[in-house]
Amino acid sequence: MGKLQKKGKAGAAVNYITRNQALKKLQVTLADFRRLCILKGIYPREPRNKKKANKGSTAPATFYYAKDIQYLLHEPILGKFREYKTFAKKMAKVLSKGQYSTAQSLAENKPVYSLDHIVKERYPTFTDALRDLDDALCMVFLFATMPKTNKIKTETIENCQRLAAEFQHYVMHTRSLRKVFLSIKGIYYQAEIKGQTISWLVPYQFSQDVPTDVDFRVMLTFLEFYQTLCGFVNFKLYSDVNLVYPPKLDLKLEDGGAGMNALIIESTQSSANIAKTIDPSANTTTTTSLSKEEKQRLQETEKRIQSLTNKIAHIQESEEAAHANSKPVNGSAGKKGASKAAAAATTTPAAAVNGKGEDQDALDEFPTPLPNLDGTASGTVTFMDIQRASQHLTLFQSLFSQCYIFLSREVPRYSLEFVLRACGGHVGWDPVLGEGSPFDENDDRITHQISDKPTQGHRFLSRQYVQPQWAYDSINAGRILAAEPYHVGKTLPPHLSPFVEAKEGDYVPDENQFEGQTEDLELESGADEDDEDEDEDEDEDEDEEEDEEEEEDEEDAEHKDLHQRELEAEAKGVAFTEFEAKENKKKAKAKAAAKTAATTAPITTTSSSSSSSTVTTRGKKRTAAEVEEAEAKELAKIMMTNKQQKLYNKIQYGKDKKAAEVEKLTKRKEQLAKDAKAASKKKAKK
């Protein structure tokens, strides 16, 4: 007989621990426990059965994994928290006695902790850190625009501004920006770094009122960890592209409001070359001072580098040979060489093993991949697809490389400069926006000037005057859009979100609206569309008139028949009341017969020669295939259980609701288009 299991000694009762039990185990306050959990990434858990996890109690409680709390017992920061408590007690005691010199020495030896080891624990690889960078960037950019308060210190704001500027410089240097969207909350950016898409939100630089109902202690704890994480990530990113980190700060430009340009970005290669030119004998002295083991390591690394270069050269030679073989070669010698190379390249493994050269001249036949069920090509990615994607990416990264763009004083420079430079643009700005502009407003190279004023006092004929939305829409479209719809003073086209992926059944706006054409503006083919609409209206009117004429003819024929029957009944001597009663009975019988025919035999086949023959269903025409599909659906519904039927009805309800919303939006859009056309016609007549 097995050992009896005691209650509360296994299962959920052991795997989970309440928050009060965790506080007693760690011997910390609730504030320190929250802070420790935020830094270590430990969050409350929801057990399947709270009663079992709480050992039979139904009182409300917050649960954690017992292993997580056990893991916190060995955290070094926990000891630092205790040291800081003793430091605070000593400081209060010394200050109460008035021993200020002792208090100063205590303040100099204040316990300080670092979060470097936590970053390494939570993110073992650099890819893991990039995946979790979205929230960190949002928090850093938020506090970079916050004003100084009693809780938010100046050092915190300046550090966030520095980290945000460093990350933006990296995105501009590598041209990693992919999408931008202006929303009510702020500006959404998306960049692609090391194959990971990173999205973050930057608030508008307005004067902000700090809310009083927000717990800034929790937010500052998150910010403390995120600052360390962003510092690690920025260092790694700068090191990978051979840039000096941290970048130096030009104090004059910083005082002049240069913003991101106050940071001096330097390359590590240039600094290494400068060091070599300053001290050319340093290399020889260092090699002589190395030990034997270090010399052996250097020799091994040199051998590896040499082998890598040889492999790369061999790969390039083979690619060149394959490229030469694919081209037609003139001359008999060239043909022989090409045939030999092709035979050597296409030798099958069986022929190589058997030593028979019969099939050496025959090329291998690679079967084409089968298409998908919907008729499209298979999902295999070819080299041509990769090449096209890389070409598209290089074109996108140099989108504004041929543009010299000047920013007027009323536009947001902090966003437009970052966006345009991240796509290769040359940007200058008004001196009011800050110092450090590479060119002024009178420069002849300027192709576009971004302004937000409805009227301009002085205009240059050699440049386009556009509104700020032109830059953002051009980036989202992947090409430079026409400047005419974005001219200063015009009604802007709708700014659509590039983050929305349309699914089946969703409402998708027209692409011409995204390309800079609004509903108020007439399209290039507007006249043709008007003619088509007029023709359609005329056809509809003619059809209605024909239907009305047919109905009138039928009514006249029925009236004549009724009059003829009345005359015949009067000649026979039948009273008018009896005749009217008989006619009413005939009409009632005809109606009842029509109803029974509609219910018993709703489907009447008109032609059964093919599967695509049309059938009539209560006045509507459907094909036989559609009828079979409907019957199959009905049979499938019958075979469903009650639970499955409820789920199916919910799904259908959601689809119908979405379809109704799409239909409503399309009708509204058509109505707006009609109103716009009518207004344009009135203007043309005037």
Side-chain angles (χ1 to χ4, degrees), residues 433-494:
L433 297 175
E435 296 182 0
S437 177
F439 49 86
D440 57 359
E441 189 177 2
N442 299 322
D443 200 317
D444 296 333
R445 298 174 297 172
I446 296 175
T447 58
H448 297 81
Q449 182 166 343
I450 298 179
S451 178
D452 210 6
K453 288 182 179 179
T455 57
Q456 296 290 325
H458 176 69
R459 286 192 176 225
F460 293 88
L461 299 177
S462 60
R463 65 183 70 167
Q464 296 280 352
Y465 287 84
V466 294
Q467 299 185 53
Q469 188 180 326
W470 170 79
Y472 302 111
D473 286 352
S474 297
I475 290 171
N476 294 334
R479 61 184 182 278
I480 297 177
L481 298 176
E484 184 180 355
Y486 297 91
H487 277 172
V488 175
K490 282 195 173 184
T491 303
L492 287 170

Side-chain angles (χ1 to χ4, degrees), residues 55-349:
K55 297 180 181 178
S57 175
T58 56
T62 305
F63 296 95
Y64 292 85
Y65 280 140
K67 286 186 177 180
D68 291 342
I69 304 303
Q70 191 70 25
Y71 180 61
L72 288 178
L73 284 171
H74 307 285
E75 178 56 42
I77 292 181
L78 197 59
K80 291 290 182 179
F81 284 172
R82 290 165 182 157
E83 289 179 9
Y84 188 82
K85 276 188 176 181
T86 56
F87 160 77
K89 288 179 182 179
K90 287 180 182 179
M91 181 64 75
K93 188 176 181 180
V94 167
L95 289 175
S96 64
K97 292 181 179 179
Q99 300 174 356
Y100 297 108
S101 59
T102 311
Q104 186 176 359
S105 63
L106 278 173
E108 291 174 356
N109 297 321
K110 179 181 176 180
V112 180
Y113 61 89
S114 66
L115 304 177
D116 300 347
H117 66 284
I118 296 180
V119 174
K120 293 177 183 178
E121 287 174 6
R122 291 182 64 174
Y123 308 108
T125 62
F126 185 59
T127 306
D128 297 331
L130 289 177
R131 286 172 184 164
D132 203 20
L133 197 62
D134 297 357
D135 295 336
L137 287 176
C138 290
M139 188 73 76
V140 167
F141 276 93
L142 172 63
F143 276 86
T145 58
M146 293 287 284
K148 179 191 173 184
T149 60
N150 296 330
K151 296 179 180 178
I152 307 171
K153 298 181 180 178
T154 310
E155 294 81 5
T156 304
I157 298 170
E158 291 178 353
N159 190 28
C160 290
Q161 290 174 352
R162 180 183 62 82
L163 292 170
E166 289 171 359
F167 183 77
Q168 285 182 321
H169 264 291
Y170 172 80
V171 174
M172 289 189 295
H173 181 78
T174 56
R175 298 184 182 180
S176 305
L177 189 68
R178 296 293 177 266
K179 294 178 184 178
V180 193
F181 178 62
L182 306 174
S183 70
I184 298 173
K185 293 181 179 179
I187 306 173
Y188 286 91
Y189 297 103
Q190 188 179 89
E192 187 176 352
I193 300 172
K194 307 286 186 183
Q196 302 295 325
T197 55
I198 300 168
S199 305
W200 70 97
L201 176 65
V202 179
Y204 296 110
Q205 290 187 358
F206 300 137
S207 57
Q208 297 183 7
D209 294 330
V210 181
T212 56
D213 57 344
V214 175
D215 192 355
F216 277 97
R217 291 181 301 173
V218 176
M219 294 186 71
L220 288 171
T221 306
F222 275 104
L223 181 65
E224 185 181 5
F225 175 73
Y226 287 152
Q227 282 178 329
T228 309
L229 174 62
C230 289
F232 269 79
V233 171
N234 287 346
F235 172 76
K236 175 65 175 172
L237 293 175
Y238 273 64
S239 301
D240 289 346
V241 293
N242 296 323
L243 295 178
V244 177
Y245 188 84
K248 296 178 182 178
L249 182 66
D250 193 337
L251 297 177
K252 290 183 179 180
L253 292 175
E254 178 68 16
D255 295 338
M260 290 186 293
N261 290 315
L263 293 176
I264 302 170
I265 306 299
E266 296 176 346
S267 176
T268 55
Q269 294 179 353
S270 61
S271 60
N273 293 332
I274 291 168
K276 285 182 181 179
T277 55
I278 292 171
D279 192 5
S281 62
N283 192 15
T284 58
T285 55
T286 52
T287 52
T288 54
S289 62
L290 290 174
S291 62
K292 291 182 179 180
E293 294 179 356
E294 292 175 347
K295 285 181 181 179
Q296 288 178 358
R297 289 176 185 172
L298 284 174
Q299 290 175 359
E300 288 176 358
T301 53
E302 288 176 359
K303 287 179 181 178
R304 288 177 183 174
I305 292 168
Q306 187 64 29
S307 63
L308 285 173
T309 53
N310 293 334
K311 285 181 181 179
I312 292 167
H314 179 68
I315 291 167
Q316 289 177 350
E317 288 175 1
S318 62
E319 287 179 354
E320 289 174 359
H323 184 66
N325 292 333
S326 63
K327 294 181 179 180
V329 183
N330 296 325
S332 60
K335 289 179 181 177
K336 288 179 181 178
S339 63
K340 287 180 181 179
T346 59
T347 303
T348 59

